[in-house]
Amino acid sequence: MLTTIPRGTKDILPGAVEDWLYLEGKIRDICRLYQFKEIRTPMFEHTELFLRGIGETTDVVEKEMYTFTDRGNRSITLRPENTASVVRAYLQNKLYGDGNVQKLFYIGSMFRYDKPQAGRYREFHQFGVEAIGEQDALIDAEVIAFAAHFLKSLGLKDVALKLNSVGCPTCRTAYRKRLQDFFRPKLEQLCDDCRSRFERNPLRILDCKNEKCQAASEGAPEIVDYLCDDCRTHFEKLQQYLKVAGVDFSLDARLVRGLDYYTKTAFEFKYEPLGAQSAILGGGRYDGLIEECGGKPTPAIGFATGLERVLLALEKQNLLPQKQESCDISLIALGEAARSYCFDMLNKLRQKGLCARMSYGDKSMRAQIKQADKSSSRLAVIIGDDELAKQIAIVRNMSDSEQKEVPLASLLEELSADK
Ligand code: AMP
């Protein structure tokens, strides 16, 4: 137990951390281009926020939350996603104050009691954006183009964008009824989850991964045929703008979210080689959420992407940068007096901004040269009793083994000159 990590979590070890830093760097670069500003919210919130902000009938809330009572008897939940927290922060800190749309992004850990497998974890990391305070379909297109640009900037290929509109509470009422009429005679064929979704959240039956439910959904009525004028115009404009931006997409009537505060645009980027975990980025409009969380009605749209899945896709396509670990200088000391001299030099080189190292323990020249080689040092600086007596050091170029003598008096200056 003591040496075993909890199921569904992962250590990110040296060597892998570099991949994460690379990805996070790309994220920060692109967020700057699109003028999204970083926000950091707590890892845990009052449970109530997620019940409201995600919805009590969703799988995340019903089955996947890490909820506990703290010592002050409050119900607390580790965040399973970050949109609700961002909306809470937006309201609590009155970010709407300046009247402008707020463009925010986050990177961080999320927690879901999910069934762990490749690309699915209990602690995972999301990069997400939220644009709060604008209803123009132009911003929907901008956010989707942003997501496409982000994936493209990593070099990822074969990623497909699926698009749908889930309408608004007005047009969804009629559609919901039609959908229930469609599924009522097929209730027996649905999985247990979908049978309970039938009354509470029938749209969700459409995106159930169970084969029987998918078969039963064949020929189901499509929400796009039920959109009200406002939602239809918005959807048409969005498609026009995406074409202007050169973003390819296909329409997918099964892409749904069942809750009232999800409105209009829904989208997902899929990378099929990840199989059941092919959804690498998903998002949509949530014009009802801010009001649900206690604010004034405020339109908003966002997306979230799972960084583990993006990294898996990058690995599959061999797109992760090569790791080059190297050190500028290895100091090779022979004898105790030389070791003290070299330790002093080591610290001075580091103060000058050079990566420098020396071996521990009293090792032979051969062993130390071997370690210098292993650390990919550019130069080895060899100092023994003889060199100390002559007040010189031998500086060896590790790539061609060329050596030269350098007076100790000018050694620091010379080593730091060709930094
Ligand atoms: P969602 O918040 O469920 O819309 O998920 C957004 C994105 O987060 C998905 O497209 C995945 O890339 C990622 N994701 C969701 N759940 C997990 C999980 N358990 N493990 C890893 N990534 C996940």
Side-chain angles (χ1 to χ4, degrees), residues 81 112 114 119-121 124 126 257 279-282 304-306 308-309:
E81 54 100 71
R112 293 184 196 174
D114 222 327
R120 189 173 290 280
Y121 309 97
F124 60 100
Q126 282 186 340
R257 297 195 146 102
I280 59 173
L281 184 151
T305 178
E308 283 82 358
R309 291 192 194 173

Side-chain angles (χ1 to χ4, degrees), residues 42-108:
M43 296 263 182
F44 58 83
E45 299 268 359
H46 294 294
T47 302
E48 182 64 22
L49 176 69
F50 299 120
L51 299 183
R52 285 291 191 96
I54 302 175
E56 300 196 31
T57 62
T58 55
D59 286 353
V60 168
V61 166
E62 281 185 341
K63 303 181 197 161
E64 297 172 1
M65 292 211 303
Y66 279 90
T67 298
F68 59 96
T69 306
D70 74 4
R71 286 167 195 269
N73 222 18
R74 299 171 197 90
S75 180
I76 295 291
T77 295
L78 300 184
R79 61 183 185 194
E81 54 100 71
N82 213 12
T83 302
S85 307
V86 170
V87 165
R88 196 244 339 112
Y90 171 87
L91 292 172
Q92 185 167 357
N93 299 287
K94 301 190 172 48
L95 298 184
Y96 44 81
D98 64 5
N100 288 325
V101 54
Q102 286 292 323
K103 294 177 168 184
L104 304 165
F105 83 91
Y106 57 81
I107 302 174

Side-chain angles (χ1 to χ4, degrees), residues 177 179-188 198-199:
K177 220 173 143 299
L179 205 58
Q180 284 175 325
D181 292 344
F182 173 82
F183 280 118
R184 194 165 289 110
K186 301 173 170 223
L187 272 178
E188 287 301 304
F198 176 78
E199 285 298 340

